[in-house]
Structures are given as C-alpha cells and as structure tokens.
Amino acid sequence: MRRFCALILCACLAGWCPVPLPAQQKPSDQGGDIPVFKTSSNLVLVSVYVRGKDGKPVENLKPEDFTILENGKQQAISVFEFQRLNEAEPKPEEKKLEIRAAPEAKPEEEATPATTSARFKDKRLLVLYVDWASMDPAQQLRAKEGAEKAVREQLGPGDLMALLSFGNSVVVDQELTDDKDLLLAALERHTPGLSPDMTQTIDDNDDSNEANAQFTADNSEFNLFSTDRRMAALEEAARHYAALPEKKALIWFTADAGASGTDNLAWLRSASNAAIRANVSIYPVDVRGLKALVPGGDASTASVRGAGMFSGQQQNTERDRFTGSQDTLVTVAEETGGKASIDTNDLGEGVKIAKRELRSYYVLGYYSTDDRRDGKYRKVDVKLSPKIAASLDYRSGYYADAEFKAMGGEGREKQLQDAMLLGDPITDLPLAVEINWFRKGGNNWFVPVAVKIPGTEIPMRKKGSTEEMTSFDFLGDVRNSKNAQVAMLRDNIKIRLRDEQTGILKTKNLLYETGFQLAPGRYTLKMLVRENETGKMGTYEKVFQVPQYGPKDLPRSSVVLTAQREAASSAAIAAATKPSKSAKGAEAHPLIVGDKRLVPSVTHVFRRSQTLSALVEVYDLQQPPTLAATLSLFDSTGKKVFESAPARPDSGRLLIETPLKSLAPGRYIAQLNMIDFGGQKFAFPRAPLTVH
C-alpha cells in the first residue's frame, strides 16, 4: 500500500427503546409538544408482542410471567404495562371532510406524569413522514393525494397520527392527534411542484469575480447537498419520538432512497439503529408505484446517448439503480420490524400494513445492572413462563451509551477499535468522502480517497484555556468481495483550535487525503474519524469498483471535478511517501498538473463565479492520439444546457475547464463525451454537481 496524506483548509464550495423515566410535559389541545424525559438512571424499555396459537394477542399476563436477561444476567422488571389497541377497522367516510384551518393553540398547561401516561394509553401511534425532497412534482401530487386518502380512510378509533415532512430539514407539521381535519389542513399547506432541495441558500459574502476564487462554506454544504441527508433526516424523524416508550409506526413516503454520489452506507444502518432504539418500526412507501422500466427511458427522461443505448448497458444501469433504491427501502423496513410497500399504486397500503401489524402489546422495562458507558451491544432475551403457550416478538438488543471524557488513553484507543467493528455506526461527525482511481502501470491502480469535514466541527478554544491544538484520528479499512482486509490506514493529524473571538476555521472545511494501491475488483471502504477534544466520531462506508477494462473498452480513470488549485509543493501536504512533481513515472500523483495540485470537490458543490475543471486520464491510446472529448452539462430535466469546445489529451491526460457564470443555480449532470476515432472506442462517464 502506498499512502499519501494531506490535511487542507479546503475553501472550495464544491423494537428497542432505552429511554429515561417519564417526567413532566406541556401538551396542547392539538397534540402538544413531545416531552423531553431526563433521568440519571439507565432504564431500558422493550415492546413485546405475545401471540397465542390463534394469532391473537394474549391478555391478562402478569410481570411474573416474564423473565428478562441482559447478556445472560436476569434483570428485575420495574415497568409493566399492557397496551390494548383497537383492532376494529375504521368506518368509511360518508362524505368528504371539509378542510379547515388549525385553531390557535391555547396556552400550555403543566401536566403530571399520570396525564402523560393516560394520553397515549391504549393508543396506536402512527407517524406519517413525507420526504418531499426525493420527489418530482408529479410524485409530490401523488404522495399528497395518497396521504390525504390514508388519513380519511385509515385513521380510526384509538389511533393517533402525526405528520412530519422533509424538504431541507425535518418539520413537524402536526403532532400526534386523532383530529382528521387538523391532519388534512397540514397536508393542504404543502404545494406540489415546488423544489424543496433549493429553497435554502448558503450565506455567501464573497463577491470576488475571479474565476477560480475560493469559496468558504460552512457545514450547510453538508446539510443541504450531501445525498446522505435523507438517511440523516429519517434518523432525526425517528428520534423525535424516542421519549415515548410506546411502540410507534413511521410510514415513510419517498420516491428514491438509493445509494449514489457521496452516499454513506453507514447512515443507512445508523438510521435503522436509531429507529430501533426509539421503538419505531419503519414502513416505507415507494410513491413511484408500479413502474415499468422502458429501454432508453420513458417520456419523463432525456434521450439516451452513446453505446449504452444499443448494448443494453444503460437499461441495466437504470434497472440496477431502481432495484437498489427499492432494496434500501426493504432493508430499512426489515431491520426495524416494518414492511415496505413497493410496486403498488395504492399509497395507503403502508398505513394499512402498519395498523395491521401494530397490535396489542406489553411494555416491559428494567434498570440495567450494567452501568458501564462503553458503547457496546447488549443482548437481551425475554422469556415467557413455560405454562403459557404463546410466541414472543421483540427486538433483541441495544447499544449502550459511551462517555468520551471519562476514558483514559487505553479506553480511547479501544473505543476506536470497537467503533470500527460496531454494527451501529457512529455518525455524530459529518463526513463526505470521494473515491477515485488511476492506473499506475500494468494492472495496478492508485485509489485516492478524500475525506471532507466541516470546519465548524473544530471546537472553540474556551476563554482562559491554554489548549491551542486538537487532533483528528483517521482509521481506514478496505476489504475485498470476500471480506478479506487488503489495506488499512491509521493516522493522527493535529490542528489549531478555532478561536472564540476571531472564528478562525468557522466557515472553512477540512480535507484529509490518503490513498491505496489496489488491483481491479469490488471493494468496501470503511472510514472512521474522531475529533479528540469533544470525542465526536463519524463513520463512512461505501462499496466501490476498481475497473477491469476489456479489449473493446476505452481504458480510463475516474473523473475528478474541482474548482480549486494550490501549489504542488504546498506546506499543507504531509506525505508518507513524497509524490513526484513530474507528470511522468509511476510515482507521480495523478492530481498534480504542472506545478499545481488539483483539490477534489468531494461534495461537488460549486459557485457560479468559479471555473469547473474536469480531469481524467486515458490509457493505451494510439500514437498520435486520435481521441477528442467535450464536457456537457444537463439540468434536472435532462436538457443539455452547455457543451465545451473539443479537447485532446496531453500525455494521456484530459483536462477540460469551463466557467460556470452562465448557469442558473440548481442541480446538473456533468457528462464527459470521449471518442477515440482511431481505436473506434468511446465512453461517457457522468457525475452529479450543484451550482449555487
């Protein structure tokens, strides 16, 4: 393995619920705010479904009928409650409900814990969560109509429903209520056709007109444009109800949850585990409905270009992406105890399934005798008295909390090693990662990896503090398709604490770079980063492919998009193996062009005042080369809005630059059109980007 490391101040915009004891809350007559419960005790709650041989709930059981064990040790049952849910189907509405505006909230009043318990006693808790950001206008309309139909037809006696939505952030449109009119009024406030992805802007005070002007972006770049935000938003929606010990069903309306771009598989598992801890089962609903994949695309997409149209590659890619998106929905559902509704035009099916599966259950709770805050997985077993013939259904474990400040050097090191093995990824520290690949002679490939961290995650130096530095630990693990480790990384980088008065680094991002030597094949990269002042950790995991090109292919590297350059000899670069500045030789770093080094835009977010650079290496060309290439940009509708002048490679390297000032803010697809006329080969690699 060859490792190349750099830390750069990057300025280019490119059913378990361990919860505490209930306390007081302040409900309103419309459902009120969800209470925040606080306690120093480690109370663990679990929902247990007890079914007889006839499949019906078994009632009238007592605490002594159950036994709870944590990691094999018996625990004393301190909380015991039976939630008797209404099994009757709601009667159909005789007439359409008249939508009325929500009444003004009355002054909030103090409530006792007894009131809190009575409010949700024997109630089925349903959360309708609509991911508007994933949908086009037509899908938004279908989702709205489907949600309204579900409210009218499925909300019955004993049901409480809340409405949450996601555009740029998670918004609680209506808290838990049994009032259909309030829910319908909340849905009515959403207007299909808007583009929620671009309704927020990034604060930009830089008026420089320089084409390659650096852009100072804070972590809003991550919040707004990282594709991982959908999983992060889903996790936030599930955690919103973690304080309620009752079982909850979250019906998730979405149009696309597939992995693409900078998607982090760790966020998927983190969202699932957060839902489990919050005692939430997720029921995804694919609002795309029953969809036929038409070769070349249907009328809603632009025409297919290139060889993929004739070879079937484009159709296979589209099918893989579509099924991958549905697999994500199925995975989230199965891991949280829910069920996905896919390939159906009845969008109310998700609510029907949730109501059918969310039946009467017992809430058992105990104070764990293991008070260690080690972050480890605790296995829990629930057993029923042998005299009772019934089956049990419950979530069988949870992850304990971890306290960083209390750890010594040995404990912190163990925490890092354990975190790499956790099935519950830690995502407190936002990360964006880009993986590229360049051939380095024969069948060996150099795989550069760039990790981007918001500068706002560097803690402030407290007044009077003598501490000036903090550090970041980086752990990396690369495994092949057989799960064998083929490369690893361990590094520690020190950086100055952000000053409380000057706000140094407040609006800049950090970029850490490393790289691995790999052969062609399918790999999984797992990166773990920890900031050592606060103990925040972030995890990134992604499957990637190092290509194996055949005789009919055009051998090439990945495409790197950037708008920032720096001196190749920059002091910011700390290399384990000093890269050669020469453009020739196996040791030359692929991102060094002349005396400049290209800084990859990990999040692919750019300013209109910047110049976009697209870099790719092409291999095994004829001499003299007969390859020409152009860069095309397509908007969100598939319309081509820009095409560069033709460019030819220099020593096998193509670098196309184009100013972005003529583009409107929005999302685009960059397509590099490469045609080798002599070799009769061509390729059309694509990459998403956002212009602001």
Side-chain angles (χ1 to χ4, degrees), residues 216-249:
T216 55
D218 61 14
N219 61 341
S220 58
E221 175 183 347
F222 288 75
N223 296 336
L224 294 180
F225 301 109
S226 171
T227 50
D228 301 333
R229 65 202 166 108
R230 289 179 187 165
M231 290 296 110
L234 180 64
E235 180 176 339
E236 182 182 345
R239 283 179 173 172
H240 183 70
Y241 294 97
L244 299 181
E246 290 82 8
K247 184 71 176 178
K248 286 83 61 176

Side-chain angles (χ1 to χ4, degrees), residues 512-529:
Y512 172 86
E513 292 187 288
T514 186
F516 306 95
Q517 295 279 7
L518 299 172
R522 185 179 178 87
Y523 299 93
T524 299
L525 169 69
K526 185 172 185 178
M527 288 289 300
L528 176 70
V529 182

